[in-house]
Amino acid sequence: MDINAVLEYFKIHYNDTTVKEAADYFGYSESHFYRVFKKETGVTPQDYLVSLKVQNSVEQLLKTNASVLNIQLKSGYLSEGTFTNRIKKSMILSPKQLTMQHYKIYSDYKLYEDDEPLEEVSEQADITVRLTSSETFEGIIFIGLFKKPIPNQSPVIGKAILKFNKGRDVYFNDVPKGDYYCLACVIHKTYNPLKIFVHKDNLRGRVEEKMTFPGKYKKNLNLRPPLPEDPPITLNLPLLFINILKERKNEYRAD
């Protein structure tokens, strides 16, 4: 399978195709297409396709004056409920709430972006992640534990890291029982509100192996530019960051 051709097909036809139709187009059975796509990208074609739809929907909601209904239909959703649930699952807010509140969220984010919570130092942490990067950047690193290897909904635990200079250890304690993936993304400093919600060009990285808890791990995660096979990042990272700072905590936890 030419995975780059498949990814390009999805990026062009995200609003008018299904996984089965894509498999048929490239001459594979749906099961074989599913299996090879996941092996090449680390995520399922369905998750990838849905995340593309959400990413493009969010971008259109924030940069155009088109109605929510118009954007919903252009994204291939006939059901308003399904569209709203998809956006809310990733962005925490409904499409209408996002269009109404994103400037306020941006303003709050800029207010807090230099106010880092204290990081706990613990040799007994369930996970110690060594963050590295050969790239220089200004911005906030958001790192979290996710149930899937794709950042398309809130993490189980998330942390915001402001002070970074080539390397930094991040600690996760009291990780709930389960299987998780560790993913990270840089929210680059910007005065463009759209760019703190749409993360197409942001540095990112992940720990490749799934981790099972209870357990103890020490892992490395390198922040690097996006690759063609990387799935879209569809998370309301600014709102998660604001919630951490407003609560005067050092992390976000899904309850």
Side-chain angles (χ1 to χ4, degrees):
M1 181 186 291
D2 184 345
I3 192 63
N4 288 327
V6 173
L7 295 174
E8 189 63 26
Y9 174 87
F10 273 157
K11 288 172 184 176
I12 294 171
H13 297 284
Y14 69 90
N15 61 343
D16 61 6
T17 194
T18 65
V19 174
K20 185 179 186 310
E21 289 169 346
D24 290 343
Y25 179 85
F26 286 98
Y28 298 103
S29 68
E30 186 175 3
S31 60
H32 180 77
F33 182 84
Y34 185 102
R35 184 169 58 255
V36 176
F37 188 96
K38 187 174 182 181
K39 181 180 178 182
E40 292 290 334
T41 66
V43 301
T44 69
Q46 182 65 23
D47 280 342
Y48 192 97
L49 188 55
V50 168
S51 291
L52 271 180
K53 289 184 177 184
V54 171
Q55 181 187 68
N56 283 278
S57 297
V58 169
E59 191 168 2
Q60 293 304 306
L61 285 166
L62 298 184
K63 80 174 187 180
T64 73
N65 293 321
S67 69
V68 172
L69 177 60
N70 182 269
I71 293 169
Q72 169 199 317
L73 295 175
K74 282 189 175 180
S75 296
Y77 290 102
L78 298 179
S79 165
E80 179 184 357
T82 301
F83 179 68
T84 296
N85 288 337
R86 291 291 192 197
I87 298 296
K88 195 169 183 178
K89 189 174 183 180
S90 287
M91 300 298 291
I92 305 172
L93 305 174
S94 71
K96 289 181 181 179
Q97 289 172 328
L98 184 61
T99 57
M100 293 173 62
Q101 297 181 28
H102 75 280
Y103 279 114
K104 174 65 165 59
I105 293 171
Y106 171 77
S107 177
D108 286 348
Y109 175 81
K110 297 300 287 184
L111 182 66
Y112 284 108
E113 70 176 341
D114 294 317
D115 189 10
E116 182 175 30
L118 292 175
E119 169 72 323
E120 294 179 0
V121 177
S122 174
E123 295 182 358
Q124 303 300 318
D126 292 336
I127 317 173
T128 301
V129 180
R130 180 66 175 177
L131 283 172
T132 59
S133 180
S134 59
E135 306 282 334
T136 57
F137 62 87
E138 283 189 287
I140 296 167
I141 304 166
F142 194 91
I143 179 170
L145 302 180
F146 295 80
K147 292 182 179 179
K148 293 183 178 182
I150 180 169
N152 62 359
Q153 55 186 290
S154 295
V156 175
I157 306 174
K159 290 177 177 280
I161 307 298
L162 275 70
K163 297 178 177 63
F164 178 84
N165 184 17
K166 299 295 184 184
R168 168 106 180 235
D169 287 335
V170 182
Y171 305 95
F172 292 93
N173 297 287
D174 301 319
V175 177
K177 183 179 179 180
D179 297 331
Y180 305 109
Y181 297 86
C182 186
L183 312 174
C185 173
V186 176
I187 314 174
H188 297 278
K189 280 204 171 183
T190 177
Y191 292 99
N192 181 347
L194 178 65
K195 288 196 171 183
I196 71 165
F197 293 97
V198 179
H199 311 290
K200 288 183 175 179
D201 303 318
N202 302 48
L203 297 177
R204 79 254 340 252
R206 74 182 188 185
V207 175
E208 295 298 329
E209 302 85 6
K210 177 174 65 176
M211 292 172 282
T212 300
F213 296 89
K216 297 287 184 181
Y217 297 91
K218 289 189 176 182
K219 297 290 184 180
N220 296 315
L221 190 156
N222 185 56
L223 297 164
R224 42 76 178 166
L227 302 173
E229 63 268 26
D230 286 333
I233 297 170
T234 55
L235 279 176
N236 196 333
L237 295 179
L239 189 54
L240 292 175
F241 172 71
I242 290 166
N243 288 341
I244 291 173
L245 271 294
K246 280 188 173 179
E247 295 293 328
R248 290 296 165 188
K249 298 178 179 178
N250 74 330
E251 64 185 16
Y252 163 89
R253 279 185 176 257
D255 296 320

